[in-house]
Amino acid sequence: FKLYVLAELARQIEAGTATWDEPLAIRDDLRSLPNGEMRLEATGSTFPIQYFAEQMIAASDNTATDHLITRLGRDNVEQAFALYGNADPERNIPLLLTREWFAIKLRLTKAEINSYIKAGVDEKRAVLSQRVDMEARTLSELEEWPGSYFIDTIEWFASAADLNRVMATLHLLSNEPDLSPISGALSWNPGIPFDARIWSYIGFKGGYETGVKSDVWLLERGDGRRFTIAAIINDSKKEINGIRLSQLM
């Protein structure tokens, strides 16, 4: 889902409502749990938006992601799912901040989660602001993770085809003069070892939680031909074999 955040950032940069060098300050109310190291930065310290974007993609930094979603506007990022080809964008409304996602899974009871799932969008937004945000402010990295838990309902949703579409769109956007940092953010972490004699460029974004692994690559071969390839595995009852998936890909 962080690819859609990046795509919305690109749209706003093209529109002139954001810039890569715009400073963004670390806020306590937007700190999240790992992945990522930006959660450890001092309150009020500033970094350019480009750095937040690079950390969100290359390190899958959750704190960077929540800061970007808030800066861009949650409703704008929600609309990006449809704008960039997600076949079922309504499943991502309301869009969860990562800190909210952690709070729901770590702090809410099963009854509360099931009630949230059945609620309408407005009611869900109210639960997020009035109940979940309070819990998110006191999250600890020492809390016990529940395992493969509500992975088909409390998550961010995209099919493999959706991921290929948004990655291909990001490639096209990166060719625009003001949007070249997209290529850098996507290529910092290639996901797997690759033969540089064959592939001149590798862009990658992976997603993971217990029972879920979702990977998508943007590839450019030495002859200039480009490809996207995505793979997703889910198991609602137990951990998946993510290493085997990477070996397969």
PDB file of all heavy atoms in Angstrom, residues 145-173:
ATOM      1  N   TRP A 145       2.867 -10.195  19.782  1.00  0.00           N
ATOM      2  CA  TRP A 145       2.155 -10.164  18.512  1.00  0.00           C
ATOM      3  C   TRP A 145       1.195 -11.348  18.415  1.00  0.00           C
ATOM      4  O   TRP A 145       1.554 -12.469  18.791  1.00  0.00           O
ATOM      5  CB  TRP A 145       3.153 -10.180  17.356  1.00  0.00           C
ATOM      6  CG  TRP A 145       2.513  -9.988  16.024  1.00  0.00           C
ATOM      7  CD1 TRP A 145       2.442 -10.892  15.006  1.00  0.00           C
ATOM      8  CD2 TRP A 145       1.825  -8.822  15.566  1.00  0.00           C
ATOM      9  NE1 TRP A 145       1.762 -10.360  13.935  1.00  0.00           N
ATOM     10  CE2 TRP A 145       1.369  -9.091  14.252  1.00  0.00           C
ATOM     11  CE3 TRP A 145       1.544  -7.583  16.130  1.00  0.00           C
ATOM     12  CZ2 TRP A 145       0.646  -8.159  13.504  1.00  0.00           C
ATOM     13  CZ3 TRP A 145       0.834  -6.653  15.389  1.00  0.00           C
ATOM     14  CH2 TRP A 145       0.402  -6.941  14.100  1.00  0.00           C
ATOM     15  N   PRO A 146      -0.037 -11.130  17.925  1.00  0.00           N
ATOM     16  CA  PRO A 146      -1.033 -12.206  17.934  1.00  0.00           C
ATOM     17  C   PRO A 146      -0.883 -13.232  16.826  1.00  0.00           C
ATOM     18  O   PRO A 146      -1.658 -14.189  16.759  1.00  0.00           O
ATOM     19  CB  PRO A 146      -2.354 -11.438  17.768  1.00  0.00           C
ATOM     20  CG  PRO A 146      -1.980 -10.211  17.011  1.00  0.00           C
ATOM     21  CD  PRO A 146      -0.613  -9.837  17.507  1.00  0.00           C
ATOM     22  N   GLY A 147       0.079 -13.092  15.948  1.00  0.00           N
ATOM     23  CA  GLY A 147       0.265 -14.054  14.864  1.00  0.00           C
ATOM     24  C   GLY A 147      -0.559 -13.687  13.646  1.00  0.00           C
ATOM     25  O   GLY A 147      -0.873 -12.520  13.417  1.00  0.00           O
ATOM     26  N   SER A 148      -0.916 -14.686  12.868  1.00  0.00           N
ATOM     27  CA  SER A 148      -1.738 -14.456  11.674  1.00  0.00           C
ATOM     28  C   SER A 148      -3.160 -14.157  12.134  1.00  0.00           C
ATOM     29  O   SER A 148      -3.902 -15.053  12.530  1.00  0.00           O
ATOM     30  CB  SER A 148      -1.696 -15.692  10.765  1.00  0.00           C
ATOM     31  OG  SER A 148      -2.332 -15.429   9.547  1.00  0.00           O
ATOM     32  N   TYR A 149      -3.552 -12.890  12.057  1.00  0.00           N
ATOM     33  CA  TYR A 149      -4.706 -12.411  12.828  1.00  0.00           C
ATOM     34  C   TYR A 149      -5.456 -11.364  12.014  1.00  0.00           C
ATOM     35  O   TYR A 149      -4.926 -10.296  11.723  1.00  0.00           O
ATOM     36  CB  TYR A 149      -4.169 -11.802  14.133  1.00  0.00           C
ATOM     37  CG  TYR A 149      -5.175 -11.463  15.203  1.00  0.00           C
ATOM     38  CD1 TYR A 149      -5.983 -12.441  15.779  1.00  0.00           C
ATOM     39  CD2 TYR A 149      -5.271 -10.163  15.693  1.00  0.00           C
ATOM     40  CE1 TYR A 149      -6.873 -12.121  16.798  1.00  0.00           C
ATOM     41  CE2 TYR A 149      -6.148  -9.832  16.708  1.00  0.00           C
ATOM     42  CZ  TYR A 149      -6.959 -10.826  17.260  1.00  0.00           C
ATOM     43  OH  TYR A 149      -7.833 -10.505  18.271  1.00  0.00           O
ATOM     44  N   PHE A 150      -6.694 -11.671  11.615  1.00  0.00           N
ATOM     45  CA  PHE A 150      -7.540 -10.754  10.840  1.00  0.00           C
ATOM     46  C   PHE A 150      -6.838 -10.241   9.580  1.00  0.00           C
ATOM     47  O   PHE A 150      -6.989  -9.085   9.197  1.00  0.00           O
ATOM     48  CB  PHE A 150      -7.982  -9.570  11.711  1.00  0.00           C
ATOM     49  CG  PHE A 150      -9.020  -9.910  12.746  1.00  0.00           C
ATOM     50  CD1 PHE A 150      -8.645 -10.186  14.055  1.00  0.00           C
ATOM     51  CD2 PHE A 150     -10.363  -9.963  12.420  1.00  0.00           C
ATOM     52  CE1 PHE A 150      -9.591 -10.504  15.026  1.00  0.00           C
ATOM     53  CE2 PHE A 150     -11.327 -10.274  13.384  1.00  0.00           C
ATOM     54  CZ  PHE A 150     -10.942 -10.551  14.684  1.00  0.00           C
ATOM     55  N   ILE A 151      -6.078 -11.134   8.920  1.00  0.00           N
ATOM     56  CA  ILE A 151      -5.292 -10.661   7.778  1.00  0.00           C
ATOM     57  C   ILE A 151      -6.162 -10.346   6.561  1.00  0.00           C
ATOM     58  O   ILE A 151      -5.713  -9.622   5.653  1.00  0.00           O
ATOM     59  CB  ILE A 151      -4.201 -11.682   7.379  1.00  0.00           C
ATOM     60  CG1 ILE A 151      -4.813 -12.971   6.822  1.00  0.00           C
ATOM     61  CG2 ILE A 151      -3.271 -11.963   8.535  1.00  0.00           C
ATOM     62  CD1 ILE A 151      -3.807 -13.889   6.159  1.00  0.00           C
ATOM     63  N   ASP A 152      -7.386 -10.856   6.504  1.00  0.00           N
ATOM     64  CA  ASP A 152      -8.243 -10.591   5.347  1.00  0.00           C
ATOM     65  C   ASP A 152      -9.255  -9.476   5.603  1.00  0.00           C
ATOM     66  O   ASP A 152     -10.110  -9.202   4.762  1.00  0.00           O
ATOM     67  CB  ASP A 152      -8.964 -11.868   4.902  1.00  0.00           C
ATOM     68  CG  ASP A 152      -9.763 -12.520   6.013  1.00  0.00           C
ATOM     69  OD1 ASP A 152      -9.650 -12.067   7.177  1.00  0.00           O
ATOM     70  OD2 ASP A 152     -10.491 -13.484   5.733  1.00  0.00           O
ATOM     71  N   THR A 153      -9.133  -8.821   6.771  1.00  0.00           N
ATOM     72  CA  THR A 153     -10.090  -7.747   7.101  1.00  0.00           C
ATOM     73  C   THR A 153      -9.423  -6.488   7.651  1.00  0.00           C
ATOM     74  O   THR A 153      -9.874  -5.383   7.365  1.00  0.00           O
ATOM     75  CB  THR A 153     -11.126  -8.244   8.124  1.00  0.00           C
ATOM     76  OG1 THR A 153     -10.445  -8.934   9.191  1.00  0.00           O
ATOM     77  CG2 THR A 153     -12.145  -9.184   7.484  1.00  0.00           C
ATOM     78  N   ILE A 154      -8.380  -6.634   8.473  1.00  0.00           N
ATOM     79  CA  ILE A 154      -7.666  -5.478   9.025  1.00  0.00           C
ATOM     80  C   ILE A 154      -6.300  -5.436   8.356  1.00  0.00           C
ATOM     81  O   ILE A 154      -5.325  -6.031   8.820  1.00  0.00           O
ATOM     82  CB  ILE A 154      -7.526  -5.574  10.564  1.00  0.00           C
ATOM     83  CG1 ILE A 154      -8.888  -5.734  11.218  1.00  0.00           C
ATOM     84  CG2 ILE A 154      -6.813  -4.326  11.094  1.00  0.00           C
ATOM     85  CD1 ILE A 154      -9.846  -4.569  11.002  1.00  0.00           C
ATOM     86  N   GLU A 155      -6.250  -4.784   7.234  1.00  0.00           N
ATOM     87  CA  GLU A 155      -5.040  -4.796   6.406  1.00  0.00           C
ATOM     88  C   GLU A 155      -5.148  -3.684   5.378  1.00  0.00           C
ATOM     89  O   GLU A 155      -6.000  -2.810   5.474  1.00  0.00           O
ATOM     90  CB  GLU A 155      -4.895  -6.164   5.701  1.00  0.00           C
ATOM     91  CG  GLU A 155      -3.714  -7.012   6.188  1.00  0.00           C
ATOM     92  CD  GLU A 155      -2.377  -6.443   5.753  1.00  0.00           C
ATOM     93  OE1 GLU A 155      -2.345  -5.462   4.978  1.00  0.00           O
ATOM     94  OE2 GLU A 155      -1.341  -6.970   6.200  1.00  0.00           O
ATOM     95  N   TRP A 156      -4.248  -3.742   4.382  1.00  0.00           N
ATOM     96  CA  TRP A 156      -4.325  -2.908   3.183  1.00  0.00           C
ATOM     97  C   TRP A 156      -4.393  -3.879   2.019  1.00  0.00           C
ATOM     98  O   TRP A 156      -3.675  -4.885   1.994  1.00  0.00           O
ATOM     99  CB  TRP A 156      -3.091  -2.016   3.072  1.00  0.00           C
ATOM    100  CG  TRP A 156      -2.926  -1.114   4.257  1.00  0.00           C
ATOM    101  CD1 TRP A 156      -3.484   0.115   4.431  1.00  0.00           C
ATOM    102  CD2 TRP A 156      -2.161  -1.364   5.444  1.00  0.00           C
ATOM    103  NE1 TRP A 156      -3.113   0.651   5.641  1.00  0.00           N
ATOM    104  CE2 TRP A 156      -2.300  -0.242   6.288  1.00  0.00           C
ATOM    105  CE3 TRP A 156      -1.364  -2.428   5.883  1.00  0.00           C
ATOM    106  CZ2 TRP A 156      -1.677  -0.144   7.528  1.00  0.00           C
ATOM    107  CZ3 TRP A 156      -0.759  -2.342   7.104  1.00  0.00           C
ATOM    108  CH2 TRP A 156      -0.907  -1.209   7.925  1.00  0.00           C
ATOM    109  N   PHE A 157      -5.238  -3.586   1.035  1.00  0.00           N
ATOM    110  CA  PHE A 157      -5.591  -4.608   0.058  1.00  0.00           C
ATOM    111  C   PHE A 157      -5.226  -4.224  -1.369  1.00  0.00           C
ATOM    112  O   PHE A 157      -5.547  -3.128  -1.839  1.00  0.00           O
ATOM    113  CB  PHE A 157      -7.088  -4.906   0.151  1.00  0.00           C
ATOM    114  CG  PHE A 157      -7.494  -5.410   1.505  1.00  0.00           C
ATOM    115  CD1 PHE A 157      -8.072  -4.563   2.440  1.00  0.00           C
ATOM    116  CD2 PHE A 157      -7.251  -6.721   1.864  1.00  0.00           C
ATOM    117  CE1 PHE A 157      -8.425  -5.017   3.694  1.00  0.00           C
ATOM    118  CE2 PHE A 157      -7.606  -7.193   3.126  1.00  0.00           C
ATOM    119  CZ  PHE A 157      -8.190  -6.342   4.042  1.00  0.00           C
ATOM    120  N   ALA A 158      -4.540  -5.158  -2.038  1.00  0.00           N
ATOM    121  CA  ALA A 158      -4.234  -5.032  -3.456  1.00  0.00           C
ATOM    122  C   ALA A 158      -3.939  -6.430  -3.977  1.00  0.00           C
ATOM    123  O   ALA A 158      -3.349  -7.255  -3.272  1.00  0.00           O
ATOM    124  CB  ALA A 158      -3.037  -4.123  -3.689  1.00  0.00           C
ATOM    125  N   SER A 159      -4.354  -6.696  -5.195  1.00  0.00           N
ATOM    126  CA  SER A 159      -4.027  -7.967  -5.838  1.00  0.00           C
ATOM    127  C   SER A 159      -2.651  -7.863  -6.493  1.00  0.00           C
ATOM    128  O   SER A 159      -2.072  -6.774  -6.599  1.00  0.00           O
ATOM    129  CB  SER A 159      -5.065  -8.292  -6.906  1.00  0.00           C
ATOM    130  OG  SER A 159      -4.958  -7.379  -7.989  1.00  0.00           O
ATOM    131  N   ALA A 160      -2.143  -8.988  -6.960  1.00  0.00           N
ATOM    132  CA  ALA A 160      -0.871  -8.960  -7.690  1.00  0.00           C
ATOM    133  C   ALA A 160      -0.988  -8.079  -8.926  1.00  0.00           C
ATOM    134  O   ALA A 160      -0.065  -7.325  -9.262  1.00  0.00           O
ATOM    135  CB  ALA A 160      -0.450 -10.380  -8.064  1.00  0.00           C
ATOM    136  N   ALA A 161      -2.116  -8.169  -9.622  1.00  0.00           N
ATOM    137  CA  ALA A 161      -2.324  -7.322 -10.803  1.00  0.00           C
ATOM    138  C   ALA A 161      -2.344  -5.842 -10.414  1.00  0.00           C
ATOM    139  O   ALA A 161      -1.790  -4.999 -11.128  1.00  0.00           O
ATOM    140  CB  ALA A 161      -3.622  -7.708 -11.505  1.00  0.00           C
ATOM    141  N   ASP A 162      -2.979  -5.518  -9.281  1.00  0.00           N
ATOM    142  CA  ASP A 162      -2.992  -4.139  -8.792  1.00  0.00           C
ATOM    143  C   ASP A 162      -1.568  -3.640  -8.554  1.00  0.00           C
ATOM    144  O   ASP A 162      -1.210  -2.510  -8.917  1.00  0.00           O
ATOM    145  CB  ASP A 162      -3.768  -4.037  -7.478  1.00  0.00           C
ATOM    146  CG  ASP A 162      -5.261  -4.278  -7.629  1.00  0.00           C
ATOM    147  OD1 ASP A 162      -5.793  -4.019  -8.725  1.00  0.00           O
ATOM    148  OD2 ASP A 162      -5.883  -4.707  -6.642  1.00  0.00           O
ATOM    149  N   LEU A 163      -0.754  -4.481  -7.926  1.00  0.00           N
ATOM    150  CA  LEU A 163       0.616  -4.084  -7.615  1.00  0.00           C
ATOM    151  C   LEU A 163       1.424  -3.857  -8.882  1.00  0.00           C
ATOM    152  O   LEU A 163       2.222  -2.915  -8.971  1.00  0.00           O
ATOM    153  CB  LEU A 163       1.294  -5.139  -6.738  1.00  0.00           C
ATOM    154  CG  LEU A 163       0.698  -5.337  -5.339  1.00  0.00           C
ATOM    155  CD1 LEU A 163       1.449  -6.435  -4.591  1.00  0.00           C
ATOM    156  CD2 LEU A 163       0.740  -4.042  -4.539  1.00  0.00           C
ATOM    157  N   ASN A 164       1.222  -4.717  -9.870  1.00  0.00           N
ATOM    158  CA  ASN A 164       1.918  -4.518 -11.147  1.00  0.00           C
ATOM    159  C   ASN A 164       1.506  -3.201 -11.792  1.00  0.00           C
ATOM    160  O   ASN A 164       2.342  -2.472 -12.341  1.00  0.00           O
ATOM    161  CB  ASN A 164       1.618  -5.683 -12.092  1.00  0.00           C
ATOM    162  CG  ASN A 164       2.420  -6.923 -11.747  1.00  0.00           C
ATOM    163  OD1 ASN A 164       3.583  -6.837 -11.395  1.00  0.00           O
ATOM    164  ND2 ASN A 164       1.793  -8.085 -11.855  1.00  0.00           N
ATOM    165  N   ARG A 165       0.217  -2.891 -11.718  1.00  0.00           N
ATOM    166  CA  ARG A 165      -0.274  -1.645 -12.325  1.00  0.00           C
ATOM    167  C   ARG A 165       0.323  -0.410 -11.656  1.00  0.00           C
ATOM    168  O   ARG A 165       0.778   0.522 -12.332  1.00  0.00           O
ATOM    169  CB  ARG A 165      -1.807  -1.581 -12.279  1.00  0.00           C
ATOM    170  CG  ARG A 165      -2.503  -2.327 -13.413  1.00  0.00           C
ATOM    171  CD  ARG A 165      -3.988  -2.010 -13.439  1.00  0.00           C
ATOM    172  NE  ARG A 165      -4.699  -2.607 -12.324  1.00  0.00           N
ATOM    173  CZ  ARG A 165      -5.226  -3.831 -12.339  1.00  0.00           C
ATOM    174  NH1 ARG A 165      -5.112  -4.591 -13.407  1.00  0.00           N
ATOM    175  NH2 ARG A 165      -5.877  -4.304 -11.285  1.00  0.00           N
ATOM    176  N   VAL A 166       0.318  -0.389 -10.331  1.00  0.00           N
ATOM    177  CA  VAL A 166       0.821   0.806  -9.653  1.00  0.00           C
ATOM    178  C   VAL A 166       2.336   0.920  -9.833  1.00  0.00           C
ATOM    179  O   VAL A 166       2.878   2.024  -9.975  1.00  0.00           O
ATOM    180  CB  VAL A 166       0.404   0.837  -8.160  1.00  0.00           C
ATOM    181  CG1 VAL A 166       1.112  -0.222  -7.339  1.00  0.00           C
ATOM    182  CG2 VAL A 166       0.664   2.231  -7.569  1.00  0.00           C
ATOM    183  N   MET A 167       3.042  -0.199  -9.859  1.00  0.00           N
ATOM    184  CA  MET A 167       4.487  -0.146 -10.082  1.00  0.00           C
ATOM    185  C   MET A 167       4.802   0.357 -11.493  1.00  0.00           C
ATOM    186  O   MET A 167       5.710   1.179 -11.687  1.00  0.00           O
ATOM    187  CB  MET A 167       5.111  -1.526  -9.851  1.00  0.00           C
ATOM    188  CG  MET A 167       6.628  -1.523  -9.892  1.00  0.00           C
ATOM    189  SD  MET A 167       7.372  -0.582  -8.523  1.00  0.00           S
ATOM    190  CE  MET A 167       7.825  -1.903  -7.399  1.00  0.00           C
ATOM    191  N   ALA A 168       4.041  -0.118 -12.488  1.00  0.00           N
ATOM    192  CA  ALA A 168       4.239   0.358 -13.861  1.00  0.00           C
ATOM    193  C   ALA A 168       3.940   1.854 -13.958  1.00  0.00           C
ATOM    194  O   ALA A 168       4.647   2.601 -14.660  1.00  0.00           O
ATOM    195  CB  ALA A 168       3.354  -0.428 -14.822  1.00  0.00           C
ATOM    196  N   THR A 169       2.913   2.314 -13.252  1.00  0.00           N
ATOM    197  CA  THR A 169       2.579   3.737 -13.250  1.00  0.00           C
ATOM    198  C   THR A 169       3.696   4.552 -12.615  1.00  0.00           C
ATOM    199  O   THR A 169       4.066   5.630 -13.113  1.00  0.00           O
ATOM    200  CB  THR A 169       1.264   3.975 -12.497  1.00  0.00           C
ATOM    201  OG1 THR A 169       0.217   3.269 -13.152  1.00  0.00           O
ATOM    202  CG2 THR A 169       0.923   5.456 -12.450  1.00  0.00           C
ATOM    203  N   LEU A 170       4.270   4.058 -11.519  1.00  0.00           N
ATOM    204  CA  LEU A 170       5.371   4.761 -10.869  1.00  0.00           C
ATOM    205  C   LEU A 170       6.578   4.858 -11.808  1.00  0.00           C
ATOM    206  O   LEU A 170       7.284   5.869 -11.824  1.00  0.00           O
ATOM    207  CB  LEU A 170       5.759   4.064  -9.566  1.00  0.00           C
ATOM    208  CG  LEU A 170       4.778   4.268  -8.408  1.00  0.00           C
ATOM    209  CD1 LEU A 170       5.071   3.288  -7.283  1.00  0.00           C
ATOM    210  CD2 LEU A 170       4.844   5.708  -7.889  1.00  0.00           C
ATOM    211  N   HIS A 171       6.804   3.810 -12.599  1.00  0.00           N
ATOM    212  CA  HIS A 171       7.885   3.869 -13.585  1.00  0.00           C
ATOM    213  C   HIS A 171       7.635   4.994 -14.584  1.00  0.00           C
ATOM    214  O   HIS A 171       8.546   5.786 -14.888  1.00  0.00           O
ATOM    215  CB  HIS A 171       8.008   2.540 -14.320  1.00  0.00           C
ATOM    216  CG  HIS A 171       8.800   2.638 -15.575  1.00  0.00           C
ATOM    217  ND1 HIS A 171      10.149   2.909 -15.583  1.00  0.00           N
ATOM    218  CD2 HIS A 171       8.430   2.533 -16.877  1.00  0.00           C
ATOM    219  CE1 HIS A 171      10.576   2.967 -16.829  1.00  0.00           C
ATOM    220  NE2 HIS A 171       9.557   2.742 -17.632  1.00  0.00           N
ATOM    221  N   LEU A 172       6.419   5.095 -15.085  1.00  0.00           N
ATOM    222  CA  LEU A 172       6.093   6.157 -16.041  1.00  0.00           C
ATOM    223  C   LEU A 172       6.246   7.535 -15.395  1.00  0.00           C
ATOM    224  O   LEU A 172       6.789   8.464 -16.004  1.00  0.00           O
ATOM    225  CB  LEU A 172       4.674   5.973 -16.568  1.00  0.00           C
ATOM    226  CG  LEU A 172       4.438   4.724 -17.438  1.00  0.00           C
ATOM    227  CD1 LEU A 172       2.965   4.589 -17.773  1.00  0.00           C
ATOM    228  CD2 LEU A 172       5.264   4.787 -18.711  1.00  0.00           C
ATOM    229  N   LEU A 173       5.768   7.664 -14.147  1.00  0.00           N
ATOM    230  CA  LEU A 173       5.880   8.938 -13.444  1.00  0.00           C
ATOM    231  C   LEU A 173       7.343   9.325 -13.226  1.00  0.00           C
ATOM    232  O   LEU A 173       7.708  10.510 -13.322  1.00  0.00           O
ATOM    233  CB  LEU A 173       5.160   8.870 -12.102  1.00  0.00           C
ATOM    234  CG  LEU A 173       3.634   8.801 -12.146  1.00  0.00           C
ATOM    235  CD1 LEU A 173       3.076   8.488 -10.757  1.00  0.00           C
ATOM    236  CD2 LEU A 173       3.043  10.109 -12.668  1.00  0.00           C
TER     237      LEU A 173
END
